[in-house]
Amino acid sequence: MSIPSIADITANLTAPGAPFEMEERIIRGVPTRVWKNAPPSLATILRGSRGFGERDFLVYEDERWSYDRHFRMAAHLAHVLIERYGITKGDRVAVAMRNFPEWPVAFWGASAAGAVVVPLNAWWTGPELLYGLRDSGTRVLICDAERLARIESELPSLARDGMRTLVVRADSSRDLPHGVERFEDVAGDAPASAELPTVTLDPEDDATLFYTSGTTGNPKGVVGTHRNICGNLLSLGFVIARNGARTAAAAAEAADAAATSSAAAVAPASPQEPAPPGQGVNLVSVPFFHATGCHSILVANIAAGNRLVLMHKWDPARALELIERERVTNCGGVPAMVWQMIAHPDFSKRDLSSLRGIGYGGAPAAPELVRKIAELFPGRTPSNGYGLTETSSVSTMNAGYDYLRKPDSVGVPIPVCDVKVVDEEGNALPAGEVGELWIKGPNVVKGYFNKPKETEASFTDGWLHSGDLARIDDEGFVYLVDRAKDLLIRGGENISSVEVEAALFEHPAVTDAAVIGIPHQVLGEEVGAVVHLAQGASVTEDELKRHVADRLAGFKVPVRIWFYAEPLPRNPAGKILKRELKKELL
């Protein structure tokens, strides 16, 4: 038998009447293919989740939260936001905490109230959090005690600007700052009869405001709609169905070949075992404040009725323990986390037989990781997706049979997406040539919050300029080559080189600085910096690291700093030749 092509499978799955049927809509003046059966709003998904009743939804340490409990708390919070704090449709409600069970409650409750949810990076320093709160115009902040402590000195100023604050899991013996209320006191007593408030939400209404690092220094707020985030559900469902069809056909062909070969003693195992019946159990190893954690894990799993196992913080030994204890069926995160798990001494000591899927994204993955997982998990293969905050998570996906064939590719685009590589003038390039990757589809966001110039520079007639250099082969598979924007990706976290350089420039001894990526097998790359000092000035590497750490989150602090005796090399336009620096120093 022959393996059906991706095009044939796509045609069957998207045919009229099929679950993944598409239709055309005009979005911001641009004709766009959309998923016909996507939920119209986040509130629709939340309302449907109540049907899972007493099934486990969230597991955190020794706490177990049912779907019914989560729904009641989210619905109650929605009413509190409207009736106590005056939240109306379009107001911003920020969430700043680690992955506590209250994070999903805050997200879904604010969404049901019609608010635009602002998930802030919990790793940010106080000044970074304050920037996000003020830039977004947040009306209500829901945070944990750690984040509250980082901004405590500015709370009076924020309150004068009209912001109210709720804190979760704060020490009950401690007095809270003036104007701050305990989440448990205000929104913890959810009645059994709790229902969602009546708020009219349209697919093109604003739903989220995620912050992403940019080349201009300060993070930019990315405005996502309900269509953006809800459509990702169908995108994920489609790639699972497509992968299943391709992988099953490949396995059948391999079995037929083995059966007719006199040299074959047994047929080879299927590249992916069929999923056993029952509830899916996902280990959440990435923060909910990322598009991957929110769109592809939180939203996708509540819609499917799956269980989410939360971690206080990422730790590979604890992850392996939880996989065994909770019989986790799916795990992953960014490639760095998968590397750390399979390299851990406890890996061989734990029962990991429940795992059915290992998915990752958010950073480039080495082909060696694909081979390693296939070796350690016979009968299973990983998946790797590509997307950005600006594409509401998934744009392309590579999995199963196709990932084994092309382990250095991030896959083909989902059917509602178009991709192309272009030259510097925006002209499309033929297959195989390298250019900037542009993406178009209903998953592409509106733009950047209150930043019209940046929006105009990054979006053209519905096309997002990804900032990634790529090539597309003759089968439509996308290969990432490099980044056109001055960003580093450390373990899935985007880091603006400009932001780190600006922090270095604040030191009086530094007269020139350039941030470069240092290759790292697990994290992908780490932050390195090259500095030129003022004549007669003196400063140590450790002093500069502490200087940056006082201003930026820890993951942005350079792990190594080189002192360059001469002015840094530049081209005629004055741009630092970072590629030459990397060749010389690495």
Side-chain angles (χ1 to χ4, degrees), residues 364 386 388 408-410 420-425 429 432-439 464-472 477-487 489 575 579:
Y386 169 75
L388 305 152
D408 50 348
S409 170
V410 293
K420 63 182 178 180
V421 294
V422 302
D423 61 19
E424 292 183 356
E425 283 73 44
L429 296 171
E433 292 198 24
V434 174
E436 185 182 5
L437 183 66
W438 285 18
I439 304 162
L464 167 72
H465 310 181
S466 75
D468 289 320
L469 298 180
R471 62 181 175 86
I472 302 174
F477 282 76
V478 177
Y479 298 76
L480 299 180
V481 177
D482 204 347
R483 281 184 297 283
K485 294 179 180 178
D486 202 4
L487 293 173
I489 302 180
K575 185 177 181 180
R579 189 163 299 192

Side-chain angles (χ1 to χ4, degrees), residues 229-259:
I229 192 168
C230 294
N232 192 60
L233 271 178
L234 275 292
S235 299
L236 290 169
F238 172 84
V239 296
I240 291 170
R242 183 185 67 195
N243 170 52
R246 288 275 283 177
T247 300
E253 183 178 73
D256 288 346

Side-chain angles (χ1 to χ4, degrees), residues 100-113:
F100 285 132
E102 288 87 353
W103 204 108
V105 171
F107 175 85
W108 290 103
S111 297

Side-chain angles (χ1 to χ4, degrees), residues 53-348:
E54 293 305 314
R55 180 187 297 189
D56 280 349
F57 173 38
L58 302 169
V59 176
Y60 175 72
E61 302 297 330
D62 295 326
E63 301 176 31
R64 308 188 86 86
W65 292 44
S66 71
Y67 270 87
D68 182 70
R69 178 186 178 187
H70 173 265
F71 174 86
R72 288 187 291 105
M73 289 193 67
H76 181 51
L77 175 62
H79 283 283
V80 167
L81 289 171
I82 293 170
E83 296 158 16
R84 185 182 183 93
Y85 299 118
I87 291 297
T88 60
K89 182 176 173 180
D91 287 339
R92 269 77 65 199
V93 172
V95 184
M97 69 177 85
R98 64 173 68 246
N99 281 9
F100 285 132
E102 288 87 353
W103 204 108
V105 171
F107 175 85
W108 290 103
S111 297
V116 177
V117 188
V118 186
L120 295 177
N121 190 320
W123 294 352
W124 277 357
T125 62
E128 290 170 310
L129 289 169
L130 291 168
Y131 169 81
L133 291 170
R134 288 176 170 141
D135 182 74
S136 63
T138 289
R139 287 280 313 280
V140 175
L141 166 65
I142 305 173
C143 66
D144 60 16
E146 286 181 81
R147 266 36 68 176
L148 184 70
R150 293 179 192 176
I151 63 169
E152 188 165 346
S153 64
E154 291 296 318
L155 283 173
S157 171
L158 292 168
R160 284 194 298 273
D161 291 338
M163 192 187 87
R164 306 290 294 274
T165 302
L166 284 171
V167 61
V168 307
R169 300 183 182 239
D171 185 346
S172 59
S173 64
R174 183 198 160 190
D175 291 334
L176 295 179
H178 179 71
V180 178
E181 298 180 285
R182 296 182 191 279
F183 181 91
E184 296 81 4
D185 294 341
V186 173
D189 189 18
S193 59
E195 297 289 347
L196 299 186
T198 301
V199 180
T200 302
L201 293 170
D202 184 82
E204 286 305 309
D205 284 335
D206 295 348
T208 58
L209 186 61
F210 284 84
Y211 277 84
T212 184
S213 290
T215 56
T216 55
N218 284 329
K220 300 191 294 289
V222 177
V223 183
T225 66
H226 286 271
R227 189 191 303 280
N228 290 153
I229 192 168
C230 294
N232 192 60
L233 271 178
L234 275 292
S235 299
L236 290 169
F238 172 84
V239 296
I240 291 170
R242 183 185 67 195
N243 170 52
R246 288 275 283 177
T247 300
E253 183 178 73
D256 288 346
T260 58
S261 171
S262 59
V266 293
S270 165
Q272 188 164 353
E273 294 178 355
Q279 183 188 34
V281 182
N282 284 261
L283 179 67
V284 183
S285 55
V286 296
F288 286 136
F289 61 71
H290 276 176
T292 298
C294 185
H295 294 55
S296 292
I297 295 179
L298 177 59
V299 175
N301 282 283
I302 195 174
N306 291 334
R307 186 192 323 161
L308 295 179
V309 180
L310 311 182
M311 301 180 69
H312 181 74
K313 65 177 181 178
W314 168 250
D315 176 78
R318 178 65 169 158
L320 293 168
E321 177 188 349
L322 288 170
I323 291 171
E324 180 180 78
R325 187 188 88 177
E326 295 293 331
R327 306 305 296 155
V328 169
T329 59
N330 294 85
C331 73
V334 296
M337 294 172 171
V338 182
W339 275 116
Q340 289 168 0
M341 281 198 303
I342 63 180
H344 197 276
D346 290 350
F347 180 81
S348 60

Side-chain angles (χ1 to χ4, degrees), residues 27-41:
I27 299 177
R28 295 181 289 280
V30 178
T32 308
R33 293 190 307 281
V34 304
W35 296 118
K36 184 175 182 178
N37 299 315
S41 71

